[in-house]
Structure formats: C-alpha cells, structure tokens
C-alpha cells in the first residue's frame, strides 16, 4: 500500500520551481531572452576546462574495470586525502583522509551530517532566511527544524533570539554562509560569538551541540574578502560542501562532509557516514566524478560574472529606492519588497516578465530573492522592466 | 552528540568485506594471483566500449552548463523515456517515462521502493538465501525484514513457509532473481505462484502487498534462458535495477525504479520517489552517467566469461562430491559445505588460499558462496587448491 506521507508531500509545490516553470512557459510565448528569470540558483558559467580534461584523461587512459569499479564504502581514499590537504592549506586545519567522506552534493552531505549528530525527536536550529530544503532534510532524519527569526538589518545572527531557542533538545545548529538567499557571509565576529554561544550551551546542557556548516557558496565571495571556514572557530563542526557552484557541476552530485579533527569522536564520524549510507541507499557519489573533482580542487569556474552582476543589480536596486543589504558572496540578493506582502509583490512583478521569489519561501516574509546567475547583458536589460514595475505599481520613490 | 545507533553498527563488520581484506593482505604476501579470491561480487569484465564512447562524445560535444546542470527532480526525462521503451520492447510492458525514476544503483532503487510502499513499523519479507544489505536497507526505512527459510533442493520458494509468514503487517515482498548468492533464477511457475499468493494475501488483508523485484543480474542468464521480468506476473511490482553488473559500472551508481503501470497509484510512485530523495539526500544520479547509460540500453559488457566460469566450477564441484544446484545466472554459485558449520568450513579453506563466503551471511547456514567474477584462468588454477582442501580436510569422497 503506497505510503500516504509522501503522497501528502506532493501537494506542497516548490514556489521556486513553480516560478521557474512559469518563466519557461512565458519564454515559450515571448522568447526566453525576454523573461527576466531570477528564480533558480543554477550556475550560468561552464565548469573549468580542467574538469573536462580530467574526465577525458580518465576515460582515455584508465582501465575501465578499475575506473568504474565500486568505491570503498568510505569513498575513494586518494580523493579524500586530496580534499583534506586542500582544506588544510587554505584554512590552516589538520584534516586527514579519515575526516572526509565524499557525498552526493551538499544535500547528501547534510543528510549524513544530521544523522551523525542527532537522533529522531531532537531539534536542529537554523537561521532565517534559510534554504527551504533544510526542512525536508531535517524531517527526513526524523528531526524538527526550528527557525531563528532573521536579523534584517544585516542578516547576521540575532543572538538574543538564538540563545532563547537553544534547549536541551537542540542537537545541532545548521548555518549557511555565504547565505542562500541573503547573499550575506557571516563576519568573523558573528562566527566567534556563535562558537562561544554553542560552547556555553553544550556545557550547560551536558552534551556536544554540533555546528553543521553548509558551504556550497564558500568560493563565491565578493570584494576580495577572505573565504571563511566556520570549522576553524568551533571544534564540533561538520562542514558540508558541494562542488555544484564552485565548479558548475550541480547535476553531477558531488560534495563532501568534513569532520573537524577536534570534534567529539572525530575518528568515528566518517565510518558512521558509511553506515548511514547503507540505510539511505546513497552509496558513494559516482567514481569517475570523485576522481575528476580531486584534480580540480585548486580551481573554480570563472565566477567573476556573479560579482559583476551583483554590483550592477545592487546599484540599480538602491537607485530605485529598495532597502537592500549588499551581498558578500553567492549569486543571490535579498531586497525588502515594496509592500509588506512579498507574495503579492512578486506576483505583480510577473506582469513585467520578472521572476522574483518571495522571501516567505525562505522563512523571511516581506523580502524577495533574485538569483543573478544569468548573463550580465540580461541583468542590464532587466533594469527597464524593473523600473517600470516599481514606477507603475508603487509610484515615484 | 554523536548518534550511538550508527556507532553500534560499526561493530557488525561485513564477513564478505573481511574476507576480501584477508585476500588482499594474503595477496601482498604470496602474490594476489595465488589467492583464489571468490569473495567479492565485483564485475571482472570492462564496460562495453559504447559507454566510453558515449561519455567522450557527451564531454566533447555538449555545452557544459547543460551537460552538468541539475537533473529535474524526477531525473532526466529523455533517459526515463529510453528506459521505458527498452523494457517495453523486451518484456511486452507499457511503461512510460512517468513510471521510471533513475537512482544510485539498486541500493538507491530499493531505498526508494521500500519507502514508497511501506511505513515504519511494517514488515518486508524476503527469501533465504538473500543479499545481506537488505537488512540495513529495510531498517533504514524503519521496517522489519523477515526472512522466509530457504528451499535448499532448488532455491525456488517454499510456499508453505512463505504463506505462513504473510501477515496483515506485511507491506512488501522483496525478491532477487537471478539470485545473489544462489545463482538461481525463479522459474515462470514460481513467479506465477508467487503472484497468486500475493493477490490472495492482498485480498485477504485488504491492502495491496507490493512486490519489490531486485534485478541487477537480469542480463546475466545462462543456457540461453529467457530473461525474466517479474513485474509481468504481478501488477503491484516495483522493479529495482542496476547497471552495475550488466554494464560493469558499479562505481558509477546508476540504476532505476520502474513502477508497473498497473500497480496501485502507478502515476504517483515516481513523484513520491522525488519527495523521498529530498529526505535522504540522494538527489538523482550523476547527470552525465544518466545520459551515457541511456545510449547503452541495448548492449551489455561481454558477460560470456561468467557462464564459462560457472560451467567449469559447477563440473569441478560436482566431481569433488559437492551438493550444488546449477546456477541459472549471476556470477555466484552456492554449494553445500562439507560440514554443517559453513563458517568453520570457510575458515579451513583459507589455509588453502581459498576465499569462500559462509552462507550464514545470506541467512542460509551450511552453504557457501563463490563469486566467480574472476579470470577463467584463475578459476582453472583454483581447482588444485580446491581439491587439496577437500581431500586433506574431508578425506576421499
């Protein structure tokens, strides 16, 4: 008998996906180049040539039985060692292969990390605005996701609200920096205060509260800012990474969990991930993809377009009178809508062929997300539509 | 705080993996060519050239942003359509793309199938001898796996034992034909009786009992026998397939769930799989692997070696006095051990550099598995060791 629980989930359609579908349908009518589709966070630049070269070389030179053979349960040792070395060189850490577990993107990484450090019935805290898939990730592991209200002046952390929500039932705190949808990177000061608060709460409640740090946008930071590694601030951290954005490989499903070598039972985390995989049916990412990304750890796609788009869009939004915090990274910007109801605001924008995602989707009503992983030329062309939308619907500002 | 449940699982080491590790260590001492390693079910023949050609062509001709872009949630439509057409042509079915969901191998397929048709607390029945990972697969979905005792004379189904174990709490029955470890394919008669029993039990208990048919060895059948498709016998069937064996791609993690178009709520199964994926962190197999296997549906690796090895091994085992049912497919054979304690039998075999897996691992004590996915020349060379083992440990027979 089919499981009603999953049937019921079918009702809750993704607002982002619906907007993307609307954009595609509208594009079929008026030409997709005329739809200003800011809905989807899908990389717009190709993978670096090194990835393609690595794939071709593996296919042309490696013995197929070995190349396409089973990964070891804990994923490919040479790949894990390469990831560890890369993180150590960049962030002054001391990972070994034993702390790295390759996963199917950040989704796979978070699925493993949550099951490693929380048991069904416990709570995971995250901060609004937050990536909406966190909810099914948590619920799929039998956990309740509780959302700390946003700190809208700068999208850092409202520590009073956060500390009030920590409880003996808090197993983990899930952060995403730089953040989808706000584009904001946590400051070193925020990461220090967060670590202090977690250490104090762990001591108070008598168990290690883990930090799960979701970092798919780590490589996309603006203004020459340093890339952050939250694990460097707090020992009980599991870092969840994806190469989807940095190497423009979202379909190849490749990322990792890195267990801080100083976390509770650091040596057990990766073997536990191997056990978790058995129950979820997610036994290692594709071998050839593991091997190819291991050769691309020092490179990225040409990510400069995202910063150029952000600067243009930020200036235009400010010019049009929007309240907006300037992104420190990612390919998202999260302005305040021009009316309290961001859903209505975004619906009106569709009449101007603008696909904007209401902040309600991210636990932050009254704001909206624009994913500017699109051609810069299209960003520029969207300004006339944006201006018309603002003037006609909301008057001179 | 780390989840003790998964830590506890670390104690239960896989007997198969331990034997494979022993073989590798012994190989380091005496040369791996001198270890008769029948432990692991890892394909020994390369993928067909068509797969490599398809991968190279995709990398050399497709635009990287599209090639490596996100799969749709329900996996790539053209790939699903190609799988459906292939199954229809071969088995007279009427699948459409809407009934196919691409997964990370059979493990991913079974993880999805179980969650589609059973809810935590329910039972799944399977038949000894069975693939030991079925236990973590079932438990990972919150289900109890109950094992029907083996029918050792032919490794078909003991229907009296099976019918006695069906209960109102039975959600699904999980079969594997051709079978790992017995090598036996269910006969049409067995499949017909199984379908009848399931229809009767579904009527009796007032809910659809699903058949989950795990078929990674479907393409490896011997003696010119027909490949079977159990879904053709029973409407409420979810077929779980893997290309790991037929295309020798176990590391690339690619397979599918196919929902019989006449099963309960057939149109909902694939959308449910999309929802299930969100909670398990297993969001689609790698895009390029999906696209490449879609071009190889009419081909396989050169699988003839497995039948040649089986014929040699079967004749030798019979000559040495073993009781053994002749395999109808796979690359496994499952003889009766020469003493009641198959664990002791297999331990003694190690002194002769033979790696044999005790049947206890597969819920069938007193038997042992040989995985003959190795070079034919090595199979031949193993006979002297096998004969010495039998004569010296068990006397003239």
């Amino acid at each position: 008998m089919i499981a009603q629980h999953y049937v019921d989930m079918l009702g809750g359609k993704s607002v982002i996906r619906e907007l993307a579908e609307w954009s595609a349908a509208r594009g079929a009518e008026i030409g997709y180049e005329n739809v200003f589709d800011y809905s989807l966070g899908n990389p717009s630049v190709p993978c670096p040539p090194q990835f393609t070269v690595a794939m071709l070389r593996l296919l042309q030179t490696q013995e197929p039985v070995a190349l396409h053979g089973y990964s070891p349960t804990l994923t490919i040792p040479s790949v894990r060692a390469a990831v560890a070395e890369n993180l150590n060189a960049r962030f002054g850490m001391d990972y070994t292969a034993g702390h790295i577990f390759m996963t199917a993107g950040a989704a796979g990484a978070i699925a493993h990390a949550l099951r490693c450090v929380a048991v069904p019935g416990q709570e995971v805290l995250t901060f609004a605005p937050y990536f909406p898939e966190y909810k099914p990730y948590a619920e799929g592991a039998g956990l309740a996701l509780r959302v700390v209200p946003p700190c809208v002046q700068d999208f850092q952390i409202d520590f009073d609200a956060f500390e009030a929500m920590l409880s003996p039932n808090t197993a983990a705190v899930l952060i995403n920096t730089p953040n989808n949808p706000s584009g904001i990177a946590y400051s070193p000061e925020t990461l220090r205060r967060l670590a202090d608060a977690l250490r104090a709460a762990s001591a108070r409640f008598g168990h290690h509260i883990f930090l799960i740090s979701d970092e798919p946008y780590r490589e996309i930071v603006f203004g020459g800012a340093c890339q952050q590694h939250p694990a460097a601030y707090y020992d009980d951290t599991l870092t969840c990474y994806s190469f989807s954005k940095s190497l423009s490989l979202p379909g190849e499903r490749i990322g990792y969990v890195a267990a801080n070598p100083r976390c509770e039972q650091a040596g057990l985390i990766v073997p536990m991930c191997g056990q978790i995989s058995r129950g979820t049916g997610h036994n290692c990412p594709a071998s050839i993809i593991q091997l190819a990304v291991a050769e691309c750890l020092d490179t990225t796609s040409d990510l400069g377009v995202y910063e150029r788009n952000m600067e243009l869009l930020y200036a235009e939004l400010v010019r049009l009178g929007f309240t907006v915090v300037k992104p420190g990274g990612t390919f998202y910007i999260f302005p305040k809508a021009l009316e309290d109801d961001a859903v209505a605001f975004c619906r009106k924008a569709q009449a101007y062929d603008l696909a904007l995602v209401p902040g309600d989707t991210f636990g932050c009503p009254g704001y909206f997300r624009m994913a500017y992983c699109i051609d810069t030329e299209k960003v520029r062309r969207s300004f006339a539509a944006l201006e018309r939308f603002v003037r006609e619907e909301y008057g001179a500002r």
Side-chain angles (χ1 to χ4, degrees), chain A:
Chain A
M1 193 161 62
I2 67 169
Q4 193 57 37
H5 170 66
Y6 294 110
V7 177
D8 294 342
M9 284 172 75
L10 294 174
K13 279 199 115 177
S14 156
V15 174
I16 300 173
R17 210 162 271 274
E18 282 190 347
L19 263 165
E21 283 167 13
W22 171 81
S23 297
R26 181 72 180 138
E29 287 171 34
I30 62 166
Y32 185 68
E33 69 281 9
N34 298 314
V35 183
F36 304 110
D37 181 4
Y38 286 108
S39 66
L40 274 187
N42 220 343
S44 59
V45 292
C47 61
Q50 288 94 322
F51 178 77
T52 307
V53 167
M55 290 285 284
L56 292 172
R57 199 186 47 71
L58 288 163
L59 289 162
Q60 287 164 336
T61 66
Q62 299 297 294
E63 209 277 300
V65 170
L67 176 61
H68 303 302
Y70 279 116
S71 283
T73 309
L74 304 184
T75 68
I76 300 177
S78 62
V79 176
R80 299 161 60 202
V83 168
E85 279 167 37
N86 179 271
L87 289 173
N88 295 345
R90 290 167 58 199
F91 299 114
M93 301 290 290
D94 51 359
Y95 294 106
T96 68
H99 303 108
I100 308 294
F101 181 80
M102 303 304 294
T103 62
I110 295 171
H112 283 85
L114 287 171
R115 287 166 176 79
C116 275
V117 300
V119 295
Q122 287 189 309
E123 289 177 1
V124 178
L125 298 190
T126 197
F127 300 91
Y130 70 100
F131 180 50
E133 288 299 295
Y134 287 172
K135 198 152 184 283
Y137 295 170
E139 289 174 358
L143 309 171
L145 185 75
R146 294 186 65 211
V147 181
V148 181
C151 179
V152 293
Q153 52 282 31
D154 58 6
F155 293 117
Q156 300 285 326
I157 289 177
D158 177 340
F159 279 97
D160 290 338
F162 171 53
E163 302 213 25
M165 287 177 71
L166 285 164
S167 86
N169 203 29
T170 306
V173 173
L174 174 53
I175 61 171
N176 175 216
T177 175
N179 179 268
N180 172 9
S182 75
I184 297 307
Y186 284 161
S187 66
E189 174 57 20
T190 294
L191 291 171
R192 265 192 295 271
R193 282 190 67 185
L194 177 61
D196 288 342
L198 289 173
R199 273 187 291 266
S202 295
R204 192 159 71 246
F205 300 130
H207 70 262
H208 296 248
I209 298 176
F210 268 79
L211 181 64
I212 299 177
S213 178
D214 177 26
E215 306 179 12
Y217 302 98
R218 187 174 62 207
E219 269 63 55
I220 313 178
V221 291
F222 301 151
C226 279
Q227 289 163 17
Q228 292 282 356
H229 191 54
Y233 292 81
Y234 183 64
D235 287 350
D236 286 316
T237 299
L238 303 183
T239 299
C240 296
Y241 187 75
S242 167
F243 294 94
S244 293
K245 319 296 179 180
S246 59
L247 297 179
S248 298
L249 298 173
E252 307 306 355
R253 313 305 307 135
I254 182 77
Y256 58 78
V257 174
N260 186 318
R262 276 166 302 286
C263 79
E264 183 192 11
Q265 299 279 12
L268 291 184
I269 298 291
V270 166
M272 289 168 72
C273 286
Q275 296 300 323
I276 291 165
S277 262
R278 297 169 77 191
T280 58
H282 152 55
N283 301 61
C284 304
S287 294
I288 191 170
I289 307 290
Q290 290 188 57
L291 294 168
V293 295
E295 299 189 27
C296 302
L297 297 175
D298 289 320
T299 190
T300 65
S301 296
D302 179 1
L303 304 170
V305 61
Y306 303 136
E307 184 160 8
R308 285 193 296 280
N309 289 354
M310 183 279 289
E311 290 287 0
L312 285 170
L313 206 45
Y314 176 73
E316 181 66 10
L317 288 163
V318 169
R319 195 184 71 79
L320 291 173
F322 282 92
T323 299
V324 55
V325 183
K326 189 171 185 178
T330 76
F331 38 59
Y332 306 108
I333 193 166
F334 200 61
K336 194 169 192 306
L338 296 180
E339 61 181 294
D340 287 348
D341 182 350
V343 175
F345 174 85
C346 293
R347 201 179 305 116
K348 287 175 192 165
Q350 287 178 271
Y352 301 83
D353 295 318
L354 287 159
L356 314 175
V357 182
D360 307 61
T361 296
F362 308 98
C364 192
Y367 289 74
F368 66 100
R369 186 187 81 170
M370 301 176 82
Y372 47 85
C373 38
I374 63 175
D375 283 348
T376 301
E377 173 272 336
K378 200 173 190 178
V379 172
R380 285 186 205 277
R381 277 198 295 117
S382 75
F383 290 170
L386 202 57
E387 177 154 9
R388 228 166 31 89
F389 165 48
V390 171
R391 302 280 176 239
E392 289 179 16
E393 300 291 338
Y394 301 95
R397 297 180 66 82

